[in-house]
Amino acid sequence: MKQKPNLPFWSLWNLSFGFFGVQIAYALQSANISRIFATLGADPHSLSYFWILPPLMGILVQPIVGTLSDKTWTRFGRRVPYLFIGAAVAVLVMCLLPNAGSLGLTVSAAMMFGLIALMFLDTSINMAMQPFKMLVGDMVNEEQKAKAYSIQSFLCNAGSVAGYLFPFIFTFIGISNVAEKGVVPDSVIWSFYIGAAILILCVIYTTSKVKEWNPQEYAEYNGANGANGTNETNGTNEEDSANWFTLLKKAPSTFWKVGLVQFFCWAAFLYMWNYTTGAIAETVWDTTDPASENFQIAGNWVGVLFAVQAIGSVVWAAVLPQFKNIKVAYAASLLLGAVGFAMVPFLHDQYMQFIPFLLIGCAWAAMLAMPFTFVTNALQGYGHMGAYLGLFNGTICIPQIIAALCGGIVLSVVGHHQSTMMIVSGVLLVVGALCVSVIREKTK
């Protein structure tokens, strides 16, 4: 088996550059979905149901794209066709979704149109996102993978910040941030239009600059059987031998213990994405009326706060390696995020809200790094690493689905105030931090 060559910086950059555009689309969805459906007329108690789709599509689409692309060989490449198709569909849906209230439909029809559009947007974003991770795995050697993924992480965060800020920026330059009742403001609509344009341009750039290996070249660099989806180290076909139920039965205890922590963390962040717009509108602008100008101003500011969270995450990610004890780092980060969530309902100045969202960024940084560190260390010697990590993705998606199904009930229990849901998120992170104590850093 030949050693994969070292790639120059710009080749590594080109492999992931399209991720910048994909992440803009994902950020626009995360920051604006609740705002859009609230504007269309959704009751706050039903908002969480719209958030079932993103994790559901993730848990369905990403493993399917991974499995199919392993077996796909075309003159355009192995991963690139899925990347391009996903991006093209995402662009179309991004132009349709924010216009759900502008088509002359009834409230129920507009929300149904928006729900179908959201389903296609989630599917296409997941379809476009997964190939970038696979391209690095296919074409980058072990020595350069850390560098390649750090480039991808930078582009991911940069795209998030841009997508979060678009509505605020477009309002600042004079695009209307108010509209008639049931209609999404132009500032949001144009954010999706520009995001769609950037997405397709970024993907076109990547597909024009990246030339995937053909089956023969791939086999030379990944083992004789690598091109056929088999394990190059022992020649066995992982798909035939890796029964998911068998793997779960044999999974190390750390797999399940980290999954327990994940449950509370991802439920907390689902409620953040779901209810932050309403919470900031209530707390800072003293309104619950989605048709009001202040509600739409709050929606813009939520994008700014999410951008602050992303910046806080980048900064804290640089601090985490300084901790000598990884469990302490994990638990402390979650507790900082819990403090941030608890502060949100009590800060009535829009700029003071930067503080809690910087703290929430600390929890986010740990959630992206620590679980996979524990699990991959525990899985050493188990084999089927790819299959196990695919199954571990369920600890991200399933908690969000459950939290979304329960969101309306929880909102009623805590008094119908969306700002109180931030405290619920804080409590969930505290429980997650306590659960870190049961994790063992050895396999069993």
Side-chain angles (χ1 to χ4, degrees):
M1 185 171 68
K2 292 172 62 176
Q3 176 67 32
K4 294 178 184 178
N6 281 328
L7 300 177
F9 173 83
W10 289 112
S11 293
L12 296 174
W13 176 272
N14 292 339
L15 279 175
S16 295
F17 183 71
F19 209 88
F20 175 78
V22 174
Q23 200 61 31
I24 286 178
Y26 191 75
L28 283 168
Q29 172 189 286
S30 298
N32 292 284
I33 287 305
S34 287
R35 177 183 182 180
I36 288 172
F37 282 103
T39 300
L40 293 177
D43 183 89
H45 296 80
S46 63
L47 273 180
S48 65
Y49 300 137
F50 298 107
W51 283 91
I52 296 172
L53 286 174
L56 182 61
M57 291 300 103
I59 202 172
L60 293 175
V61 174
Q62 291 199 25
I64 292 173
V65 170
T67 300
L68 291 179
S69 65
D70 279 343
K71 304 175 182 179
T72 297
W73 295 99
T74 73
R75 67 187 185 93
F76 300 106
R78 188 186 195 193
R79 317 295 187 185
V80 165
Y82 295 90
L83 163 63
F84 198 85
I85 292 170
V89 175
V91 166
L92 175 62
V93 179
M94 288 175 73
C95 294
L96 293 174
L97 175 58
N99 286 296
S102 307
L103 303 176
L105 303 174
T106 63
V107 172
S108 58
M111 284 196 284
M112 181 57 66
F113 178 90
L115 187 62
I116 294 171
L118 177 60
M119 181 181 68
F120 278 101
L121 181 59
D122 290 325
T123 302
S124 58
I125 288 177
N126 276 287
M127 189 173 180
M129 187 181 296
Q130 190 73 351
F132 286 108
K133 302 173 186 177
M134 297 175 181
L135 283 171
V136 172
D138 287 348
M139 303 183 70
V140 179
N141 62 36
E142 294 299 320
E143 180 184 345
Q144 289 190 303
K145 273 186 180 176
K147 184 176 182 181
Y149 281 121
S150 68
I151 291 171
Q152 195 168 100
S153 177
F154 168 80
L155 290 166
C156 173
N157 283 297
S160 293
V161 171
Y164 290 145
L165 291 177
F166 273 176
F168 179 81
I169 293 171
F170 291 146
T171 300
F172 180 79
I173 65 176
I175 296 176
S176 177
N177 194 47
V178 293
E180 60 185 276
K181 186 175 182 180
V183 176
V184 177
D186 286 344
S187 58
V188 177
I189 293 174
W190 277 99
S191 294
F192 275 78
Y193 288 170
I194 299 300
I198 294 173
L199 168 58
I200 199 63
L201 289 173
C202 288
V203 168
I204 288 173
Y205 176 87
T206 291
T207 55
S208 66
K209 293 291 185 179
V210 174
K211 185 179 184 299
E212 292 189 76
W213 292 323
N214 60 39
Q216 292 72 32
E217 291 171 323
Y218 183 90
E220 288 177 4
Y221 289 114
N222 292 276
N225 296 318
N228 298 315
T230 56
N231 187 318
E232 58 266 25
T233 60
N234 58 26
T236 61
N237 188 300
E238 290 206 11
E239 288 186 43
D240 292 338
S241 60
N243 178 282
W244 285 2
F245 294 104
T246 301
L247 291 178
L248 288 173
K249 285 173 63 178
K250 294 181 178 180
S253 60
T254 298
F255 181 97
W256 299 106
K257 291 173 180 177
V258 176
L260 178 65
V261 179
Q262 291 271 85
F263 179 88
F264 295 104
C265 293
W266 286 95
F269 272 78
L270 185 282
Y271 288 146
M272 182 196 78
W273 295 320
N274 195 342
Y275 295 109
T276 298
T277 298
I280 296 301
E282 286 179 7
T283 302
V284 179
W285 277 274
D286 195 28
T287 183
T288 58
D289 180 10
S292 68
E293 180 179 2
N294 280 346
F295 187 92
Q296 300 302 332
I297 292 173
N300 284 356
W301 197 248
V302 167
V304 175
L305 295 176
F306 283 2
V308 169
Q309 176 207 316
I311 294 169
S313 177
V314 171
V315 173
W316 190 248
V319 175
L320 285 173
Q322 308 306 314
F323 283 85
K324 293 182 179 180
N325 187 312
I326 190 172
K327 288 174 61 175
V328 171
Y330 195 7
S333 300
L334 297 182
L335 290 174
L336 287 172
V339 171
F341 278 124
M343 292 172 66
V344 171
F346 303 102
L347 297 177
H348 302 288
D349 181 89
Q350 66 190 89
Y351 297 100
M352 289 297 291
Q353 289 286 350
F354 288 171
I355 298 172
F357 279 88
L358 283 170
L359 295 175
I360 292 167
C362 296
W364 183 244
M367 286 168 57
L368 293 181
M370 299 299 182
F372 286 94
T373 301
F374 283 115
V375 170
T376 53
N377 287 344
L379 287 171
Q380 295 301 319
Y382 273 72
H384 305 299
M385 182 71 78
Y388 269 117
L389 292 182
L391 292 170
F392 190 67
N393 188 57
T395 68
I396 295 173
C397 299
I398 293 173
Q400 294 181 70
I401 294 171
I402 294 173
L405 288 170
C406 298
I409 298 171
V410 176
L411 180 60
S412 297
V413 169
V414 298
H416 308 282
H417 292 289
Q418 295 185 59
S419 56
T420 312
M421 294 298 289
M422 299 297 99
I423 297 177
V424 172
S425 289
V427 171
L428 288 168
L429 282 190
V430 170
V431 177
L434 293 174
C435 291
V436 171
S437 64
V438 305
I439 300 173
R440 297 291 178 266
E441 295 186 49
K442 300 298 181 182
T443 55
K444 276 190 178 180

